[in-house]
Amino acid sequence: MTWQQRVLRVNLTRGSCEVEPLNMEWAQQYLGQRGLGSKYLYEEMDPAADALSAANKLIFATGPLTGTLASTGGRYSVITKGALTGAIASSNSGGKFGAELKLAGYDLLIIEGESPKPVYLSIEDDRAQLCDARHLWGTTVWHTEEAITAGNPQIKVASIGPAGESGCRFACVVNDRHRAAGRSGVGTVMGAKKLKAIAVRGTRGLASAQGHATLIAKNRKIKQNTGYTMNGTLGMMDVTNRFGSLPTRNNRQVQFEDAEKIGVKAMQTPNRNGHRNLVTNAACFGCTIGCGRICKIDPSHFSVRDKPEYHGASGGLEYETAYALGSAVGVSDIDAATYAGFLCNEYGMDPISLGGSIAAAMELYEIGAIDSTITDGLELRFGSAEALCTITEWIARGEGFGQDVAMGSKRLCQKYGYPELSMAVKGQEFAAYDGRAMQGMGLGYATSNRGACHLRADPYSHDFKTTDIEGKAAIVKNTQDEIAFIDSTGLCAFTGGAGWSMNDYSELVDAVCEGDWSEDKMRLVGERIWNLEKQFNRKAGLGRADDTLPRRILDEPAPSGVGKGLVCRLEDMLPDYYRARGWDDEGNPTATTLARLGLE
Ligand code: SF4
């Protein structure tokens, strides 16, 4: 049994830290991480409460396979009501923090209330205490990690940067310098609670080593030297650009003429100064894939020429960041995009929402909805690497027009009278796939419980086969349920791309967890999690009107690529999707569905 069966509950208002037993009945129904954290959140908070109020809770949740010998078994999730979306948020991170929390003896860490002054939480196995963090408030993630660990690499830190403190709506929680629970503004919630960081050192180990031989045997099934190992996720850029689903300039185009300048080859080939962007790859705890990119900016580049502190290596571009800080804003300068990515890690911002919000601001500027008197003199034009770097610095520090962009594209575009220019669902900016050539992804974005996201459904292979919508509703529904389960195990979803099947996940969980964890049960648990999230959102006030896409994707035909001339046929797919889910025409789970899932 690899649940530690313990929850650490921290009340910031009272300043208390208490250990309580994990609800094992819920663990059998929701497994761990995303599922179990969502169950606790659903039971303990009023979904209608303001995300930034003391009534919101922030749950750090590991899975039963976190901290084990399973490849990629180092994941944790941060579950809360999202500051960006007002919907349930569940952001997943790797690195080493999650495993350390588990090895300190906790499945879940529940943060409640609001501290009167900045604090950080220090955990050393059974010893948990809140410490004064006034000296850290206003400092970056990188500084905070250095200050708290004081050179001891065994202490793992998850923290927020100045963006989370200043109320940037897409602030994230960063651990291990460049791994992040990135989406939906979970770092904004942490900042509102005045919790700067969580530092953890765990030596308790796992409750049992049962089943570990199975885990090791399964690890051998992960293909070595997969595309992820060699190229990270960036290899996808060639695929989507050729297909015509690479969002470009706020989705005005779907192919980027300079994609190769921010792609794999550009990252791996020395530039004319002999400088190579890629230094090496990196892996999270226990991972045998190692998709992470460690990169260096050319020291002679304008963005860092006078800033030696950025001349070292750090987390580099991945496919999503290369899109958000590249094609989405029309920028083909790999060093500028890498610099903006460094700032995201250092100041604690979700690069996808940051890039999507800057892209919206650039379109507002280009159509004349805002001008340089509003942008503090900045010429915010698509393709300007200088503008990308400058506005990212302003957003990170909460300065000038950066404060408007820090609200996220939805609030920004509403403020300046063009809400339709926000390329977002439920307030969360699109990931790197356009829903016109990829119809299944369009449906996946619209129905995602946490807003637009590429990691909530897996219609990729079918979308790349055909732009037809036949059968896509069922594929989206089924893969949403499967991913909800994988996100609850403690494993990384990229294991699917490296060779594991649903049967492998069920065998892995079954090997280490008490109870029957057949493939059928796994799918039922995933469906239960999805419906629980949906129920949270309904109580938070979200409904049928929120399962939609921006007008551009629904009404403006794709200008090129395989999907040329197509719009997303969302309204044709949605009824089939609701039917497949056992929901009514308004997208509400029926009483029969709720009863079947034990959610009455
Ligand atoms: S595949 Fe990549 S993101 Fe997933 S655990 Fe491994 S290094 Fe981390």
Side-chain angles (χ1 to χ4, degrees):
M1 177 177 302
T2 53
W3 289 288
Q4 297 284 33
Q5 302 192 51
R6 298 191 338 150
V7 174
L8 177 62
R9 186 178 294 275
V10 177
N11 188 298
L12 294 169
T13 309
R14 288 201 303 268
S16 62
C17 302
E18 283 157 11
V19 179
E20 62 188 45
L22 183 72
N23 186 322
M24 291 308 295
E25 201 183 313
W26 290 355
Q28 282 293 326
Q29 293 166 351
Y30 294 91
L31 190 61
Q33 211 185 340
R34 171 175 162 190
L36 195 52
S38 299
K39 174 66 173 170
Y40 269 85
L41 187 77
Y42 183 75
E43 296 294 340
E44 292 195 3
M45 82 165 275
D46 173 9
D50 187 335
L52 300 182
S53 72
N56 196 3
K57 298 204 179 191
L58 191 67
I59 300 177
F60 288 69
T62 66
L65 286 160
T66 307
T68 67
L69 297 176
S71 180
T72 78
R75 312 294 300 189
Y76 75 97
S77 290
V78 182
I79 298 113
T80 188
K81 179 171 178 173
L84 182 69
T85 57
I88 193 162
S90 170
S91 292
N92 185 313
S93 181
K96 300 188 173 69
F97 175 84
E100 202 69 25
L101 180 63
K102 182 79 174 289
L103 296 172
Y106 307 103
D107 301 294
L108 259 61
L109 170 57
I110 301 177
I111 313 279
E112 51 194 30
E114 191 178 276
S115 174
K117 63 168 198 235
V119 288
Y120 77 91
L121 173 64
S122 167
I123 303 169
E124 279 180 75
D125 295 339
D126 287 345
R127 209 166 33 181
Q129 57 179 335
L130 289 166
C131 309
D132 193 343
R134 280 175 294 188
H135 62 297
L136 297 172
W137 204 248
T139 67
T140 66
V141 164
W142 295 352
H143 174 87
T144 300
E145 283 194 18
E146 278 162 26
I148 292 179
T149 59
N152 180 353
Q154 291 178 314
I155 299 171
K156 305 299 173 202
V157 178
S159 66
I160 57 166
E165 298 170 16
S166 66
C168 167
R169 288 273 171 176
F170 43 82
C172 58
V173 177
V174 183
N175 56 279
D176 302 279
R177 277 180 75 89
H178 58 88
R179 287 291 173 188
R183 305 229 66 193
S184 311
V186 298
T188 321
V189 175
M190 191 157 153
K193 294 187 174 305
K194 294 212 169 49
L195 179 64
K196 179 68 180 172
I198 299 164
V200 60
R201 172 74 182 116
T203 63
R204 286 172 62 108
L206 292 174
S208 153
Q210 167 200 327
H212 281 193
T214 308
L215 306 188
I216 294 164
K218 281 281 169 213
N219 289 351
R220 295 201 191 101
K221 200 182 160 188
I222 286 192
K223 292 180 209 124
Q224 296 303 311
N225 290 325
T226 62
Y228 287 150
T229 310
M230 300 301 289
N231 304 325
T233 53
L234 193 51
M236 183 59 88
M237 183 155 283
D238 280 350
V239 179
T240 52
N241 196 40
R242 234 179 297 123
F243 193 70
S245 57
L246 174 60
T248 301
R249 298 182 190 86
N250 209 31
N251 291 77
R252 292 207 290 200
Q253 291 98 34
V254 291
Q255 290 177 306
F256 185 38
E257 65 283 4
D258 283 331
E260 67 179 33
K261 293 185 181 163
I262 50 170
V264 168
K265 214 165 152 203
M267 180 181 272
Q268 296 181 352
T269 311
N271 64 14
R272 61 169 180 265
N273 299 330
H275 175 86
R276 186 179 189 247
N277 185 272
L278 179 68
V279 176
T280 185
N281 73 327
C284 303
F285 176 90
C287 176
T288 52
I289 300 169
C291 76
R293 302 293 96 181
I294 299 298
C295 295
K296 254 183 173 180
I297 301 165
D298 183 339
S300 67
H301 187 261
F302 75 85
S303 61
V304 299
R305 202 178 297 133
D306 306 317
K307 300 173 192 153
E309 66 272 28
Y310 295 104
H311 292 182
S314 195
L317 295 177
E318 301 178 6
Y319 174 53
E320 290 296 330
T321 37
Y323 136 75
L325 309 171
S327 66
V329 289
V331 167
S332 59
D333 181 333
I334 195 167
D335 285 302
T338 305
Y339 174 64
F342 277 19
L343 291 179
C344 285
N345 292 332
E346 190 187 11
Y347 285 79
M349 302 179 290
D350 168 19
I352 302 179
S353 283
L354 175 113
S357 300
I358 295 173
M362 286 177 165
E363 184 158 1
L364 287 171
Y365 189 89
E366 294 218 341
I367 66 168
I370 56 176
D371 60 23
S372 57
T373 61
I374 288 172
T375 64
D376 304 307
L378 188 65
E379 286 216 25
L380 212 45
R381 296 201 179 278
F382 283 121
S384 169
E386 291 80 3
L388 169 69
C389 295
T390 303
I391 193 69
T392 303
E393 288 170 353
W394 290 356
I395 297 166
R397 298 187 196 123
E399 292 172 1
F401 182 65
Q403 292 175 64
D404 274 2
V405 187
M407 298 190 295
S409 65
K410 178 180 163 186
R411 290 171 175 85
L412 173 79
C413 292
Q414 273 167 353
K415 177 171 176 176
Y416 291 104
Y418 290 86
E420 68 275 19
L421 295 186
S422 164
M423 296 299 119
V425 172
K426 301 180 179 79
Q428 179 158 283
E429 288 70 20
F430 282 170
Y433 304 89
D434 190 283
R436 289 167 285 190
M438 297 178 73
Q439 299 278 328
M441 190 57 81
L443 177 64
Y445 282 172
T447 56
S448 164
N449 287 327
R450 73 165 180 177
C453 177
H454 61 297
L455 294 171
R456 284 297 183 269
D458 183 3
Y460 294 94
S461 55
H462 300 274
D463 275 348
F464 287 131
K465 253 182 238 151
T466 174
T467 55
D468 226 34
I469 61 170
E470 191 69 34
K472 287 195 175 166
I475 289 164
V476 168
K477 183 261 174 200
N478 291 337
T479 55
Q480 284 174 338
D481 294 346
E482 289 169 3
I483 291 170
F485 182 86
I486 297 167
D487 281 349
S488 303
T489 58
L491 301 172
C492 177
F494 291 167
T495 45
W500 280 354
S501 65
M502 295 316 286
N503 183 50
D504 291 312
Y505 296 114
S506 107
E507 283 185 21
L508 280 160
V509 175
D510 202 48
V512 299
C513 292
E514 205 171 70
D516 155 45
W517 292 94
S518 64
E519 235 181 293
D520 283 349
K521 175 169 174 182
M522 192 171 83
R523 291 202 159 85
L524 187 72
V525 169
E527 188 177 5
R528 182 180 294 130
I529 294 166
W530 192 270
N531 279 269
L532 179 93
E533 292 174 339
K534 178 74 179 179
Q535 292 295 78
F536 183 100
N537 283 353
R538 288 179 65 204
K539 290 186 179 178
L542 281 79
R544 167 72 179 77
D546 298 290
D547 288 350
T548 191
L549 293 165
R551 205 190 295 162
R552 174 160 290 160
I553 308 301
L554 296 175
D555 292 344
E556 285 179 29
S560 67
V562 174
K564 184 173 179 183
L566 296 180
V567 295
C568 182
R569 293 171 60 194
L570 179 64
E571 291 307 317
D572 294 330
M573 293 185 280
L574 215 41
D576 287 346
Y577 172 84
Y578 286 158
R579 242 188 322 273
R581 281 231 162 269
W583 295 356
D584 65 22
D585 295 345
E586 284 302 297
N588 299 317
T590 62
T592 314
T593 299
L594 292 176
R596 179 170 60 78
L597 298 169
L599 289 169
E600 309 93 324

